[in-house]
Amino acid sequence: MTPASALPPIPAREDDRLAALQRYELLDTPAEPAFDQITRLAAKLLKVPVALISLVDRDRQWFKSRIGLPVQETPRDHAFCAHALESDSLLVVTDARQDERFAGNPLVTGDPNIRFYAGAPLRTADGLALGTICVIDDQPRAALTPEEEEALRDLSAMTMAHIEARRAVGYLHPVTALSNRFRFLADVDALPADATMAEPADFRETAVVIDTAASQQYAELTRVLGQVCADAFEVDCARRIAASLPERTRLYHVSPARFTCILAGHDAADGELASTLHRISTAIRSPFQYQGVPIATSSGIGFVHRSDSPPGGVELLRAATSAAHQSLEEQKPWCAYDEEQDRAAHRAFLLLRSLTEAMGAQDQLHIAYQPKVDLRTDRCIGAEALLRWTHPALGPISPAEFVPLAERTALVRPLTEWVIAAVLGQVSHWRRRGIALPVSINISMLDLGTGDFADRVAAMLDRHGVRADWIDFEVTESALMTDRAEVDRQLHRLRNLGIAVEIDDFGTGQSALSYLKDIPATAVKIDQRFIRSIAAERSDQIMVRSTIELAHDLGYLVVAEGVETAEAYDWLRLHGCDFGQGYLISRPLAPAAFEDWLAAGAFRPAAMSA
């Protein structure tokens, strides 16, 4: 044990010094080339076997960079560098065995057998010493020459300049002063490829992502209460999470309202992981108080074991973030990384990235046309345009998969315009050939929410030479419940242009039937789930018959989709449904096949029944 008289003195501003050391976020971080270059230069200039950048923590000295020394840290009581913290100049020990402060020090009497030491403090602008840059030899040496002293001071200034630059440029979050995403990625990528090489077989590292608010909640918080409130929210979340983590666990602030950390442990201690996740979840669940007002947000926590993730910091963060999203969506306290769900998310991203290219290609997107018939006359009265996509690598992609993805991004507007342009070009071509049938085009709720949609449609009609009554738009019922005022304006504008409007998938949204009286539409389209079993299911019959009667009383035409049997066709005709479409009549057809279908005499239900 080190004699009390030889213990390093405690600096006068020790609490401030330790707080500064934490703010710089150097402790327990991976090696960085810039620091290693400085220690190599120190060893070379001063001709010593050992050079260190030492950070003096509360009870240890930890080496940010080390040349010639195998250990990562030593007790503070043994640290030569701890003696240098209050020194105004260099601390030089020419022969430690002859110095009463160090003669009994275990670092002198045992490994690494320190005889010579010279260290220069790493001092902040306000005078706080974080540690030293030092050189060590296992042989006694004479005092440093003035040139060597100057070199060591220069190396100290160089190290401190890099520490300051590291903090100022790109590695710390400006609001919480925590390490940011770039620091996290650098730290993960600096970890050994086989992190378990020197650890027990059951040792593993786990990345945890904590979303303290859903993205729309954070955006609303910023919009309503301002950035000052949002910043205070993030600082409060950082404080709560940090208090919930095991000692010496580094917390990163990687994006708005999102934090991450790396937990190290053993398979046998999965209960410890669950306990940590429970503490975090409990800490961030209580409302944030801002000027006396409690603000509650949704939170999600996701984790992934490093060994279960693709290599690299980017992939590790993405995998843990995917699990956090799942936690948010499923309203679970936390979720583990799900490789199958992650593959689905990766496929979704691939599709979105490919969709832009598809809109510019000649052979990927195309339109199929499904005939609509008059149930009283069995004659074709129009067609619905249905978007199809054949991906060059993935093959046919269902619109039920890629259209909802597009609706969640800015791609929905150019995609809708692509469809409208393609249909208008085909309608113009058919009219020149004497095929005078209106074509229905599906539009998104986001299209109706933009203030210039109807104006853009009018311009496209003029450009293609197509009359407004040659097309109509099908709009899902749910669209009418989002931004109602703008939707109504756009629907009325379309009707004033002369374009008919159908309410698609009627009966599946959230609006009451009484809402029909306010909709500026011309027809309702009963969803196929009510039609497929209508010949046998009494409940479907009651709902469809009531819908037909109510729609007719309000002046709407009624279209049934999903007509697949002659029995359903006959039932719908008997109960006054106006139009029908479905596989019984025809599958969606390419333009040339649609023309052939018309030329063949179109649909003959009697033949189908036979």
Side-chain angles (χ1 to χ4, degrees):
M1 183 173 178
T2 306
S5 60
L7 290 175
I10 303 298
R13 299 171 60 195
E14 177 66 355
D15 289 343
D16 291 341
R17 191 192 69 80
L18 290 172
L21 183 59
Q22 293 298 321
R23 284 197 301 273
Y24 280 95
E25 296 207 325
L26 291 161
L27 292 169
D28 302 304
T29 57
E32 297 177 49
F35 290 112
D36 291 343
Q37 289 170 359
I38 294 174
T39 49
R40 283 197 298 270
L41 182 59
K44 182 177 181 179
L45 289 175
L46 294 161
K47 300 180 176 61
V48 293
V50 178
L52 309 168
I53 293 175
S54 170
L55 304 171
V56 181
D57 199 1
R58 186 179 302 276
D59 56 2
R60 59 174 176 156
Q61 67 170 345
W62 184 85
F63 305 123
K64 175 60 184 173
S65 178
R66 63 191 194 277
I67 300 296
L69 190 68
V71 297
Q72 182 71 68
E73 63 181 63
T74 69
R76 177 171 173 168
D77 289 349
H78 302 166
F80 281 56
C81 298
H83 289 263
L85 297 180
E86 288 289 85
S87 174
D88 292 331
S89 58
L90 307 181
L91 173 65
V92 179
V93 180
T94 58
D95 187 348
R97 292 183 184 176
Q98 305 302 317
D99 191 313
E100 63 180 10
R101 293 172 298 176
F102 305 109
N105 192 306
L107 301 180
V108 175
T109 59
D111 287 335
N113 184 28
I114 297 176
R115 298 293 297 276
F116 173 81
Y117 171 91
L122 301 174
R123 203 172 297 282
T124 65
D126 51 356
L128 299 171
L130 306 179
T132 71
I133 179 170
C134 64
V135 293
I136 294 172
D137 201 341
D138 59 2
Q139 300 296 323
R141 293 179 52 163
L144 297 180
T145 66
E147 291 78 11
E148 289 173 329
E149 288 186 358
E150 183 179 6
L152 193 56
R153 290 193 185 93
D154 287 345
L155 290 168
S156 171
M158 185 186 304
T159 303
M160 201 62 219
H162 184 69
I163 289 174
E164 293 287 1
R166 176 185 184 276
R167 184 185 185 200
V169 183
Y171 280 137
L172 294 185
H173 194 281
V175 173
T176 59
L178 293 173
S179 293
N180 63 12
R181 176 176 174 271
F182 300 108
R183 180 77 264 162
F184 174 82
L185 297 179
D187 287 352
V188 170
D189 289 341
L191 292 173
D194 183 0
T196 65
M197 190 180 303
E199 302 288 349
D202 64 349
F203 180 87
R204 59 180 172 181
E205 295 160 325
T206 303
V208 179
V209 163
I210 306 107
D211 279 335
T212 57
S215 57
Q216 66 272 20
Q217 290 176 335
Y218 182 82
E220 189 70 5
L221 179 69
T222 305
R223 185 184 71 82
V224 174
L225 296 178
Q227 191 61 53
V228 171
C229 175
D231 290 349
F233 169 75
E234 293 192 290
V235 169
D236 184 61
C237 289
R239 176 187 58 79
R240 297 190 200 187
I241 297 169
S244 307
L245 297 176
E247 187 178 1
R248 295 183 181 176
T249 301
R250 182 177 302 279
L251 183 63
Y252 301 82
H253 191 173
V254 292
S255 61
R258 177 174 293 161
F259 301 84
T260 191
C261 64
I262 297 289
L263 301 177
H266 300 269
D267 288 351
D270 277 349
E272 184 177 339
L273 172 61
S275 178
T276 299
L277 296 176
H278 177 73
R279 289 197 303 272
I280 298 171
S281 176
T282 302
I284 61 178
R285 194 180 304 144
S286 57
F288 163 64
Q289 300 286 334
Y290 184 70
Q291 297 182 354
V293 178
I295 300 171
T297 60
S298 303
S299 60
I301 301 173
F303 69 92
V304 58
H305 301 304
R306 187 174 171 225
S307 58
D308 296 337
S309 168
V314 172
E315 287 300 313
L316 186 70
L317 183 60
R318 186 188 61 78
T321 301
S322 174
H325 283 165
Q326 183 181 352
S327 169
L328 265 171
E329 291 173 358
E330 298 180 4
Q331 298 183 11
K332 293 180 178 179
W334 59 81
C335 285
Y337 168 67
D338 185 324
E339 186 176 1
E340 183 176 345
Q341 190 169 71
D342 189 49
R343 279 198 300 268
H346 183 70
R347 175 181 168 90
F349 175 76
L350 174 62
L351 292 179
L352 286 173
R353 189 177 62 184
S354 301
L355 193 52
T356 299
E357 178 184 340
M359 284 186 275
Q362 299 296 318
D363 57 351
Q364 293 193 40
L365 297 179
H366 60 279
I367 304 294
Y369 296 86
Q370 186 170 35
K372 296 180 181 179
V373 300
D374 187 322
L375 296 179
R376 292 163 297 186
T377 66
D378 304 330
R379 296 182 59 186
C380 181
I381 51 84
E384 179 183 2
L386 299 169
L387 179 60
R388 297 291 183 261
W389 182 15
T390 303
H391 191 281
L394 302 176
I397 309 295
S398 168
E401 180 179 10
F402 72 83
V403 170
L405 292 175
E407 289 182 345
R408 297 203 297 265
T409 72
L411 287 175
V412 65
R413 177 167 173 164
L415 183 62
T416 299
E417 291 195 353
W418 188 97
V419 171
I420 294 174
V423 172
L424 293 183
Q426 186 62 56
V427 167
S428 177
H429 172 74
W430 277 340
R431 290 281 170 163
R432 289 194 298 271
R433 298 191 55 192
I435 301 175
L437 294 172
V439 175
S440 301
I441 304 171
N442 291 284
I443 56 175
S444 162
M445 65 179 74
L446 298 179
D447 294 314
L448 288 172
T450 58
D452 64 343
F453 178 71
D455 291 336
R456 286 187 285 119
V457 170
M460 294 175 74
L461 290 171
D462 288 341
R463 188 159 58 249
H464 289 274
V466 172
R467 283 174 29 183
D469 59 348
W470 293 356
I471 64 168
D472 60 76
F473 286 127
E474 295 188 9
V475 186
T476 57
E477 184 185 7
S478 59
L480 304 173
M481 300 303 292
T482 63
D483 196 1
R484 168 71 184 279
E486 187 57 51
V487 167
D488 281 352
R489 279 193 293 271
Q490 292 303 310
L491 288 174
H492 280 99
R493 176 80 174 105
L494 292 173
R495 292 293 294 118
N496 291 336
L497 289 174
I499 299 174
V501 175
E502 295 182 15
I503 304 169
D504 196 11
D505 299 333
F506 187 79
T508 61
Q510 299 177 0
S511 63
L513 291 176
S514 60
Y515 185 59
L516 282 173
K517 68 185 180 66
D518 298 323
I519 300 173
T522 54
V524 297
K525 194 171 189 180
I526 303 175
D527 188 72
Q528 57 188 334
R529 73 185 67 180
F530 302 110
I531 303 301
R532 284 176 175 159
S533 302
I534 198 167
E537 292 288 340
R538 178 164 172 76
S539 59
D540 288 343
Q541 293 174 359
I542 293 171
M543 293 177 66
V544 172
R545 184 169 61 245
S546 299
T547 301
I548 292 171
E549 292 174 358
L550 179 60
H552 282 165
D553 288 344
L554 293 173
Y556 293 99
L557 295 170
V558 181
V559 184
E561 62 178 342
V563 180
E564 297 181 352
T565 66
E567 291 79 10
Y569 190 97
D570 292 340
W571 190 96
L572 290 164
R573 176 162 52 187
L574 179 64
H575 289 86
C577 185
D578 300 293
F579 309 128
Q581 71 180 92
Y583 284 2
L584 175 72
I585 300 163
S586 174
R587 290 178 176 271
L589 302 168
F594 180 79
E595 295 176 20
D596 293 340
W597 182 86
L598 288 175
F603 175 60
R604 295 186 177 87
M608 290 287 183
S609 300

